[in-house]
Amino acid sequence: MTTPLLSIEGLTVGYGTRDGVVNAVRGVDLTLARGEKLGVAGESGSGKSTLALALLRLLPPTATVTGRVLLDGEDVLEMGWGRLRAVRWAGASIIFQGAMHSLNPVQTIGDQIAEPILRHQKVSRDAAATRVRELLGQVGMLPDRARSYPHELSGGQRQRVMIAMALACEPDLVIADEPTTALDVMVQAQILTLIDGLVASRGISLLMISHDLSVLSDVCDRLAVMYAGRVVEVGPASDVFRAARHPYGAALAGAFPTVGDPAARMRPQGLPGDPPDPQDLPSGCAFHPRCAVRLDHCDSVDPVLWPAGADNHTAACVRVLPDEGRSLTADPAPVEEATR
């Protein structure tokens, strides 16, 4: 088998507080093949952005990270600072949400796009300037915009600048963390089409994070659904969006009405309650207090990912087990052993 470009193994991220360490990401395992597009979905607070930042060690000093993040076989978490600086932008880059807060307001966008090129590719300033103009053209902007400052651009243009920066050093992996946040629907569609086309034409792997399952299903090959810091479902994008096997994945997909369907308009689906406090997670399956189809033992069994259909579709729900997991005891060990 081909070695994945990115392999996340047992990743746990905790933040230090007065009451101790609070785990925002709890034992995540994911892989991303070369040229593949993987979407990560979930509500706010599910751990998506923390996961993205952990992959390039961009978390604050208060964060404690354990596990392994293998990028092309090399553990990012074990890299020295010199090696890590070489990997950022050139090996893997990130498109942050909120471009206005990510761009330097006192530098032109041309200088900001050129900075990683000059640092990692060791070219002349004239060559870097030429590359900047090429990148701006590729993201649908006039080359003369290189002399503009961030405040002189629209929200969609600033996001295009972020995409140009992410592609500047031709990385193998691009991490897109909510890249269309705060953009209107038309601009959002343009940005998503742009990202999809650029990564596909260059054979770049994409890890895209969003709360919008419909957006991810249009762009990505596979989807991973996160809840309370864990991955609760993984599978082909179309399968997860149209036939989710975990009740939470189904609730996320059901939150998007079908255009032209009167029933969907008159009876919009939603999910009651709020995500759990990471400092006070419920026992058993963390989703069971909000689950409309929970079983009696869901408050005592915390299932791991289990085969839930063809094409490597898995879900962490006892309902995908034989007899809906009725033979399980309160001890979650049988579930874990069965997945090894």
Side-chain angles (χ1 to χ4, degrees), residues 298-320:
C298 288
D299 61 351
S300 57
V301 174
D302 189 6
V304 296
L305 291 170
W306 183 271
D311 298 321
N312 297 316
H313 194 158
T314 58
C317 178
V318 295
R319 283 191 171 275
V320 305

Side-chain angles (χ1 to χ4, degrees), residues 9 16 28 48 61 106 109 114 139 151 193 196 199 217 241 267 284 289:
E9 302 176 358
V28 167
K48 309 183 303 298
V106 299
I109 63 169
V139 298
H151 71 272
T193 301
D196 189 24
V199 298
S217 67
F241 184 59
R267 294 190 299 274

Side-chain angles (χ1 to χ4, degrees), residues 74-288:
E74 191 174 1
D75 192 350
V76 175
L77 303 183
E78 296 295 330
M79 291 178 181
W81 284 111
R83 177 58 182 154
L84 183 61
R85 282 193 295 269
V87 166
R88 290 174 177 169
W89 296 110
S93 61
I94 186 167
I95 304 171
F96 294 102
Q97 58 176 307
M100 189 62 182
H101 304 293
S102 302
L103 295 171
N104 189 328
V106 299
Q107 281 190 320
T108 65
I109 63 169
D111 286 343
Q112 295 184 65
I113 298 173
E115 183 177 353
I117 299 174
L118 292 168
R119 177 175 294 273
H120 291 282
Q121 298 186 346
K122 307 300 182 184
V123 298
S124 68
R125 290 193 174 275
D126 287 344
T130 299
R131 174 68 174 148
V132 168
R133 289 192 292 270
E134 292 174 354
L135 287 164
L136 288 176
Q138 290 170 7
V139 298
M141 294 181 66
L142 295 174
D144 290 345
R145 279 297 196 177
R147 295 192 296 268
S148 299
Y149 289 88
H151 71 272
E152 298 176 310
L153 305 178
S154 68
Q157 289 173 324
R158 288 192 292 266
Q159 202 62 52
R160 290 171 188 267
V161 171
M162 293 296 299
I163 296 170
M165 291 177 66
L167 297 176
C169 296
E170 301 181 347
D172 295 319
L173 170 65
V174 170
I175 303 166
D177 183 12
E178 301 272 12
T180 57
T181 296
L183 299 180
D184 63 63
V185 176
M186 293 300 293
V187 176
Q188 173 179 285
Q190 295 170 6
I191 296 297
L192 292 173
T193 301
L194 176 63
I195 294 174
D196 189 24
L198 287 173
V199 298
S201 65
R202 299 178 180 216
I204 295 172
S205 298
L206 174 68
L207 180 69
M208 185 170 176
I209 293 171
S210 178
H211 61 276
D212 193 329
L213 208 62
S214 65
V215 164
L216 294 177
S217 67
D218 286 339
V219 175
C220 299
D221 304 312
R222 287 191 303 135
L223 290 183
V225 178
M226 288 189 69
Y227 186 79
R230 283 188 177 174
V231 174
V232 297
E233 185 163 9
V234 184
S238 58
D239 288 356
V240 175
F241 184 59
R242 302 184 187 282
R245 298 300 306 275
H246 194 284
Y248 180 63
L252 287 182
F256 300 95
T258 303
V259 176
D261 183 359
R265 185 178 72 252
M266 299 303 294
R267 294 190 299 274
Q269 299 183 44
L271 186 61
D274 297 310
D277 183 345
Q279 289 184 286
D280 187 25
L281 292 174
S283 60
C285 173
F287 184 63
H288 86 265

Side-chain angles (χ1 to χ4, degrees), residues 34-53:
R34 296 178 184 278
E36 185 184 23
K37 294 174 287 186
L38 172 65
V40 180
E43 295 170 285
S44 296
S46 61
K48 309 183 303 298
S49 292
T50 293
L51 172 66
L53 296 175

